Each structure stands twice: as structure tokens, then as C-alpha cells.
Amino acid sequence: MLTDRDELDCFLILAGELHFGRTAERMLLSRARVSQLVQRLERRVGAPLFLRTSRRVALTALGRQLRDDLEPHHRGIAAALERAAATARAEGPMAGPLHVGFTTPPAGELVLKAAEALRVSHPALVVEVCEVPLSDPYGQLRSGAFDVAFAEFPVREADLGEGPALFTEARVLAVAAGHPLAALESVRLEELAGVPLLSVAGDLPPYRRERQAPARTPSGRPIGRGPEVTNMQEALMLVAAGRGALLTSAHTATYFARPGVVYVPFADAEPVGFGLVWRAADHTGPVRAFARAAQQAADGA
């Protein structure tokens, strides 16, 4: 039996007030409309729910039974709607473009999977994707050009928040094909003393610069410094020319295969984690929704 929500609301308010006038005032309806809703519900049930006289209104035994059965469900529905509204208020509008930056091809693929999932769950939330410059990992995020971005971890910036690492990769050394290290099955961090490392130009935080091009080996031996680069193609051109080696992630061997460059895995370097980063003050609903979609995409990869 299908029942109108207004009928149930009217019944429960009248069951509490036992007064048609006050019920009409609370519902912002006329007394005639309240009577109409009650009568319609009584027809659905098949018996009177109230005893009406010129002096008083009272519940019938059936009315008391229906009130007792409905009240817990009615409170549950009201609480569920309030929780949904509170979540919507906290998350803000789930519409408009969400600008997402990515740093590596695997990160870009994960961004596209998350964007496709959001296209179904939040069709008004349009995800626009753009590459993060190698030489400026946080600048466009801070300026507002991006709302959220994939970044190499760790991120130690007071104004930026981050989620968990969504995937990790082993580290490799890109060297010229004719370099002695190119013939090895694996290389150790201590062997970096034998080749200058290319470094990324730009205003990188010291911890990022040290991780990308460390100044010393684990034992303290100095590591030479090669030219500075601004993008991956420039870096690999210099590697192939024997101008230096590049410490990078394993995906580079797959997405940037190049004649004259050999990728040698490390035997002792910690893997690199990648995850989402956003402005700490702008952890909005769309950002949270994207983070959930990205986590689900990573879990299903």
C-alpha cells in the first residue's frame, strides 16, 4: 500500500498535538487540508484513527498502534535526511570543474580512471587534467591552477595536505648505454659516486632536491652534479649524450624508452610513493570525492 509522506507527517503531528488548528499551523496548511490528509490515510487503512468531537480529538486504539509503529521509522528517516544534509553542507557543491594535476604517466592513467568513475557518481563534477611541471611541483597547486595533484612522496609542506600513497614504484638509474654501470644487472646507491647526476631546475624544496639528486652516497662520498633539466625529454637527451645519469622511477623505462639510454634497477634504494596533495585550507567535497575515487581506482588496479 503506497502512502503519501504528507499523510504520515500529518498523522504523527496530529497524534501529538490532538488539535487540528495547531497541526495546521505547524504544517503551514489549512485546517481543511489537514482533515483531508487524515481522512485519506484512514481510507487507506480502512478504519478511523482519531475520535473527533466538537470539544476534543483523541486517538483510537488503532491510531495509537499506528503511531507507536511509525514513530521510530519516522525519526530514523528524519535523522538520515539530516545526516545527508550535513554531509552536503560540509562537502560543498559537487559541481563545476575540478582541476587535477599529474606528474607521471601511471598517475595520469589513475586520474583518468577516477575521473571516469566520478562521471557516473557525480555527473556535474567535471574533472580537467593537466601535467604538473617537473621543475615546479607545488606552484600551480598553491596558485589555484590545480585543486588537487598527484605528487611524489614525501611532501613536507605546511600549507599542503596529503592522502596515503596510492601506488609505489622501484627506483632506477638512467645511464648512457656505453657507461660501465649500464652493463650491471643492478646498481647500489654507493655507486652513484662514479657518475654525475642530472638535477631538476627550479625552486624545489631541499628535501625534494636531495632525494632526486643526492649530494653524497650513504657512506658520505660526494656525488657529482650534472646539468639541470626542466623536463624528461631534455633529461634523457643529456643522459644519452653521456652528460650525466638520472635517478628516476621504474615507469620511466616503459614510457620513455630511448635509444642510447639504459635503465638499471637499484638493489638498495627505497621505492617511491605517489599520492594526492591539495591545499590544506581547501579540502573540499569535490577533492574528497576525487580522493575516494582515486583510492578505489588504485585498489582495483
Side-chain angles (χ1 to χ4, degrees):
M1 177 175 61
L2 296 176
T3 305
D4 190 288
R5 173 69 185 272
D6 288 343
E7 294 174 12
L8 297 181
D9 289 345
C10 184
F11 167 74
L12 288 171
I13 293 172
L14 183 57
E17 295 286 353
L18 295 178
H19 192 281
F20 276 83
R22 289 194 295 271
T23 298
E25 289 176 2
R26 285 183 57 182
M27 296 192 69
L28 303 178
L29 299 174
S30 67
R31 293 184 63 168
R33 178 58 176 162
V34 170
S35 295
Q36 183 184 44
L37 289 170
V38 170
Q39 291 169 2
R40 199 163 70 187
L41 181 60
E42 288 177 328
R43 287 196 297 271
R44 292 181 190 277
V45 172
L49 300 172
F50 295 94
L51 296 172
R52 309 167 180 81
T53 69
S54 59
R55 293 179 176 272
R56 62 190 290 266
V57 177
L59 283 163
T60 65
L62 181 61
R64 289 193 297 273
Q65 174 190 314
L66 182 60
R67 177 200 61 193
D68 294 344
D69 287 343
L70 283 178
E71 280 185 337
H73 301 290
H74 192 265
R75 288 195 298 270
I77 291 172
L81 289 173
E82 178 54 34
R83 286 193 298 271
T87 299
R89 288 193 298 270
E91 292 195 340
M94 299 294 286
L98 182 72
H99 300 278
V100 181
F102 70 95
T103 50
T104 66
E109 292 171 2
L110 198 56
V111 167
L112 292 177
K113 289 180 181 178
E116 179 60 23
L118 287 178
R119 189 182 66 81
V120 176
S121 62
H122 297 85
L125 184 58
V126 179
V127 177
E128 297 184 359
V129 182
C130 189
E131 187 174 5
V132 176
L134 188 65
S135 58
D136 188 14
Y138 310 128
Q140 289 181 294
L141 184 61
R142 287 188 168 114
S143 71
F146 298 142
D147 299 299
V148 61
F150 261 95
E152 180 180 320
F153 284 179
V155 176
R156 299 170 184 156
E157 306 297 308
D159 60 330
L160 301 180
E162 64 180 72
L166 296 180
F167 64 92
T168 59
E169 287 191 350
R171 305 183 87 189
V172 299
L173 186 69
V175 295
H179 194 279
L181 293 179
L184 301 179
E185 291 186 1
S186 64
V187 65
R188 305 186 70 84
L189 290 170
E190 199 61 36
E191 293 172 287
L192 293 179
V195 58
L197 289 180
L198 303 182
S199 60
V200 176
D203 188 21
L204 269 67
Y207 67 89
R208 280 292 304 269
R209 189 172 295 283
E210 176 62 21
R211 185 168 176 83
Q212 191 273 319
R216 294 185 178 276
T217 68
S219 71
R221 297 164 63 199
I223 300 173
R225 183 61 54 90
E228 291 189 335
V229 297
T230 59
N231 59 68
M232 186 60 69
Q233 294 296 343
E234 181 183 353
L236 295 179
M237 179 186 69
L238 292 173
V239 169
R243 299 282 302 279
L246 179 69
L247 208 165
T248 184
S249 303
H251 75 269
T252 313
T254 301
Y255 291 90
F256 297 95
R258 183 187 179 100
V261 176
V262 174
Y263 296 94
V264 186
F266 276 93
D268 57 351
E270 292 184 1
V272 182
F274 294 86
L276 295 178
V277 182
W278 51 80
R279 294 180 297 279
D282 294 327
H283 193 200
T284 62
V287 170
R288 287 193 289 271
F290 182 82
R292 289 192 295 270
Q295 181 68 68
Q296 292 167 359
D299 291 343

